[in-house]
Amino acid sequence: MIGNSYFNQAIVAYNDEGNPKKALDMAEKTMFFMPTDTTLYFYTGAFALEANEPDKSIKYLEQYVTNGGKQPQAYASIANVYIENKKDNVNALRVIKDGQAKYPGYRDLRLLELNIYLNEKKYDVAKTMMEKEIQADPNNRDNNFLYGQLNRELGNNEEAKKAFKKAL
């Protein structure tokens, strides 16, 4: 009961008061009473990110996964923290690969991976990946748009135009 009270205070602090630091503090207090609750770790990871605590965000989201959390979004969230806050694509790719092994159909992880390759100018890897994506789903607008961007980056303007038209 005490744990639920702390967690409810965390939710109120975040949603009603717009105070992610207080939400993080209350959620961390909740962990004493609910040390294996996956929902708690997922939300605490989100609160930590909003409170500008990326290391804690990674820690709590990884604990969510360790405790048996089933949301593939956790892997994408961890990868995003590595990409955006830590500027660490190596660990982001590690997390993405782990998530893909567990949730092979989760599209957000593929898109994060592709964006890393594009940002690192690993166009050969990105092109191979995009061609597989388009082959699997030729009418997917996002895939065609990204393929258009890739081809524009490579100077293949005619291929880029075709892909952009398919994206419309």
Side-chain angles (χ1 to χ4, degrees):
M1 288 212 168
I2 295 173
N4 285 336
S5 175
Y6 279 132
F7 190 60
N8 287 338
Q9 290 176 52
I11 298 295
V12 167
Y14 187 79
N15 287 336
D16 297 346
E17 299 170 16
N19 189 339
K21 287 193 182 295
K22 182 177 177 185
L24 175 60
D25 180 55
M26 298 311 291
E28 288 176 325
K29 288 178 181 174
T30 307
M31 290 176 184
F32 177 79
F33 301 98
M34 302 162 62
T36 60
D37 187 285
T38 56
T39 302
L40 171 62
Y41 280 93
F42 190 81
Y43 279 100
T44 305
F47 297 154
L49 185 58
E50 289 295 316
N52 200 26
E53 298 274 357
D55 291 329
K56 284 186 176 185
S57 181
I58 291 168
K59 173 185 168 185
Y60 294 133
L61 289 168
E62 286 179 343
Q63 191 62 47
Y64 166 83
V65 170
T66 300
N67 287 357
K70 305 259 187 257
Q71 293 295 322
Q73 178 59 39
Y75 289 94
S77 295
I78 296 166
N80 266 321
V81 174
Y82 277 120
I83 293 165
E84 299 296 326
N85 299 86
K86 308 289 280 176
K87 309 299 184 214
D88 182 353
N89 288 345
V90 172
N91 275 312
L93 282 170
R94 176 189 53 80
V95 170
I96 289 166
K97 295 294 184 186
D98 289 349
Q100 288 172 330
K102 195 165 184 179
Y103 302 101
Y106 189 63
R107 194 165 183 289
D108 286 2
L109 293 171
R110 290 192 310 272
L111 292 175
L112 284 169
E113 181 183 14
L114 176 64
N115 281 322
I116 288 172
Y117 296 141
L118 291 174
N119 289 332
E120 291 183 345
K121 300 193 184 316
K122 293 181 179 177
Y123 298 130
D124 55 335
V125 178
K127 187 168 184 169
T128 300
M129 187 177 171
M130 279 311 308
E131 287 170 349
K132 286 180 185 176
E133 291 288 322
I134 288 176
Q135 188 174 27
D137 189 359
N139 297 318
N140 184 291
R141 289 180 175 177
D142 292 334
N143 288 345
N144 282 295
F145 179 76
L146 290 171
Y147 193 62
Q149 284 184 304
L150 173 61
N151 276 295
R152 184 179 62 202
E153 207 49 49
L154 294 171
N156 301 333
N157 293 330
E158 288 306 312
E159 283 297 312
K161 285 180 188 176
K162 287 180 196 175
F164 287 137
K165 283 182 183 177
K166 283 185 176 181
L168 297 176

